[in-house]
Amino acid sequence: MAHHINEQETTSRDVQGSWAARLFTSRFGGLPPGFGVLWAGALINRAGTFVAPFLIIYLTEYHHLPLNATTPILIGYGAGVMLSSPLGGALADRIGRRRTMVTGLLAAAACQLLLAVAQGRILVGVAVFLLGLAGDIFRPAANATVADVVPEADQTRAYGLLHWALNLGIPVAALGAGWFSTRSWTLLFLIDALSSLAFAVLVLARLPRSLESQDKPTSHETPPVHWRDGVLPGVGLLTLVAFFTYFQSSYAIPLEVLDSGLRPSDYGVMMAVNGVFVAVVQPVVGPWLTLIPKAHGLGAGALLIGIGLSLTGLADTLWQLVVTVVVWSLGEIAVAALLPSLVADLAPEESRGRYMGAFGACIGAAGVAAPLGVAIYHIYPSLIWWLCLALGAVTWPGALALARAASSRRAPATP
């Protein structure tokens, strides 16, 4: 009898183990080794991003700069961030993905150390601009590498997992930066630089050498970029609209929380729900996103963001606001996985870096434009929520139009 029970327990464990193995494989398996390097590097780099979130505190508390001095410095940082992705995309297509990632990460580390020792508002301003310029050089090359090495059927899952890595790193970065900023700003800059160096070492040591042939440009001529067919401008506009809407979670929603009579800590609860929800749900739903057409999935995700944000204007209690967070967080998961995957599909192979650079630049532009939501809210609060709903809705036909344009562009090359 005991022997029979032991056999049942063993069988049960085997079934559970095989289920867990299948679950892990369906979410993380089947991707090339090069992707694992990018995922680990993205996690390390994001978890060590200490400087950017605390930049204004560093300028005002450590350097004691007045508001009229910090404002142009922060604008310079934003300008550097907007230029960083196009620069990285152009380099990725010209000198190769691997070299661009290593160069950008080493430059970012050097700029972090420069900012740590910079004195005087002019030198500090220059260092901050250079940090913004270098910070995202690696990203278009990394995104283009995913498109190079991951089969098209798995690209949505891969980009979703990269977004998941960033979300896992955010709380580590926030807590770490808060802890180090009260003890040693120099140590904070040093660890941030080390995270960039660690990513660069991973790329050099662990990114498979088999990618070298794909990594080398075939010509010194600039690869052609298809402007006339409207695909690249369409990618930029679609990205700008989707992320301008999403960024209202950081601008318009806090105002609504306070106007509803809630406390700032309640907004912190909402953001915590967003982080936990994405961390738990992203790897679970990732494979399902590969089963639907990318344009339709992207459109549905953008619409969910618009609906979730628009419902914020109707919510008065914390639990109602948490429900809206779940809605737009589900849309965030879909957009974060499907939009870069769609861009990879639309980009000609020789111009993937530039397309990814334009994609990143438009995310930066959306971040610069997003504070307009605050001005709109102050004029008429309901207007910003209706605008979020409208922008979420127009993304769907926009994505379909882009998919059709890309199909028509590829049609002449088909025998």
Side-chain angles (χ1 to χ4, degrees):
M1 183 69 173
H3 179 69
H4 180 64
I5 292 175
N6 289 336
E7 285 183 349
Q8 287 182 329
E9 291 177 350
T10 302
T11 303
S12 176
R13 285 195 299 267
D14 290 343
V15 171
Q16 291 175 356
S18 62
W19 176 85
R22 288 197 303 271
L23 179 65
F24 181 86
T25 301
S26 65
R27 270 61 181 174
F28 305 98
L31 297 173
F35 176 78
V37 173
L38 297 177
W39 189 91
L43 177 60
I44 293 170
N45 184 257
R46 189 64 186 88
T49 302
F50 291 169
V51 175
F54 279 69
L55 188 57
I56 189 169
I57 297 176
Y58 174 69
L59 296 175
T60 55
E61 296 295 324
Y62 182 79
H63 285 285
H64 306 290
L65 295 178
L67 184 62
N68 61 356
T70 58
T71 300
I73 292 176
L74 293 174
I75 291 174
Y77 177 77
V81 171
M82 289 183 62
L83 294 172
S84 183
S85 285
L87 175 60
L91 289 174
D93 287 338
R94 178 170 286 274
I95 68 173
R97 324 292 197 221
R98 188 192 198 92
R99 295 185 186 90
T100 299
M101 282 188 279
V102 173
T103 300
L105 291 165
L106 293 179
C111 291
Q112 287 151 359
L113 296 177
L114 173 62
L115 183 55
V117 300
Q119 298 294 326
R121 65 179 64 180
I122 294 178
L123 185 56
V124 168
V126 171
V128 168
F129 169 75
L130 291 176
L131 178 61
L133 183 64
D136 273 352
I137 286 177
F138 79 92
R139 201 174 304 278
N143 284 332
T145 302
V146 172
D148 292 341
V149 304
V150 176
E152 185 176 346
D154 291 325
Q155 285 177 10
T156 296
R157 180 162 59 101
Y159 285 115
L161 289 173
L162 282 181
H163 179 66
W164 184 55
L166 297 179
N167 274 274
L168 292 177
I170 287 173
V172 177
L175 294 174
W179 192 86
F180 284 113
S181 65
T182 61
R183 289 161 175 80
S184 171
W185 284 102
T186 301
L187 189 58
L188 182 144
F189 283 100
L190 179 61
I191 294 178
D192 201 333
L194 287 176
S195 70
S196 296
L197 290 175
F199 193 178
V201 170
L202 268 178
V203 171
L204 283 173
R206 303 299 299 173
L207 202 64
R209 294 292 177 184
S210 59
L211 300 181
E212 289 289 354
S213 59
Q214 302 176 31
D215 200 36
K216 295 178 180 178
T218 56
S219 171
H220 292 291
E221 297 180 359
T222 303
V225 179
H226 299 264
W227 291 96
R228 293 183 180 179
D229 59 9
V231 172
L232 184 55
V235 166
L237 182 60
L238 195 70
T239 303
L240 184 64
V241 168
F243 278 89
F244 175 87
T245 307
Y246 170 72
F247 286 153
Q248 297 314 310
S249 61
S250 299
Y251 289 97
I253 285 184
L255 300 177
E256 179 65 27
V257 169
L258 297 179
D259 286 349
S260 297
L262 300 174
R263 298 166 297 179
S265 59
D266 293 323
Y267 176 69
V269 171
M270 294 171 61
M271 293 300 99
V273 170
N274 168 250
V276 172
F277 184 85
V278 172
V280 173
V281 175
Q282 178 91 62
V284 175
V285 304
W288 297 341
L289 292 174
T290 64
L291 303 178
I292 57 178
K294 292 179 183 179
H296 286 291
L298 172 61
L303 183 58
L304 281 174
I305 292 176
I307 291 173
L309 292 174
S310 66
L311 290 175
T312 303
L314 302 176
D316 296 319
T317 64
L318 179 57
W319 75 265
Q320 290 174 337
L321 288 169
V322 167
V323 171
T324 68
V325 170
V326 171
V327 175
W328 59 257
S329 296
L330 190 58
E332 174 193 344
I333 290 171
V335 170
L338 290 164
L339 185 52
S341 182
L342 181 63
V343 174
D345 288 348
L346 296 173
E349 185 176 354
E350 71 277 5
S351 301
R352 277 178 182 155
R354 292 175 178 233
Y355 272 66
M356 290 299 179
F359 170 65
C362 289
I363 294 176
V368 172
L372 291 175
V374 175
I376 296 172
Y377 183 90
H378 283 305
I379 295 172
Y380 187 60
S382 297
L383 182 58
I384 185 61
W385 308 126
W386 283 109
L387 179 62
C388 288
L389 181 60
L391 293 178
V394 301
T395 303
W396 202 325
L400 291 173
L402 272 179
R404 285 195 296 268
S407 297
S408 64
R409 187 177 68 193
R410 289 191 295 261
T414 303

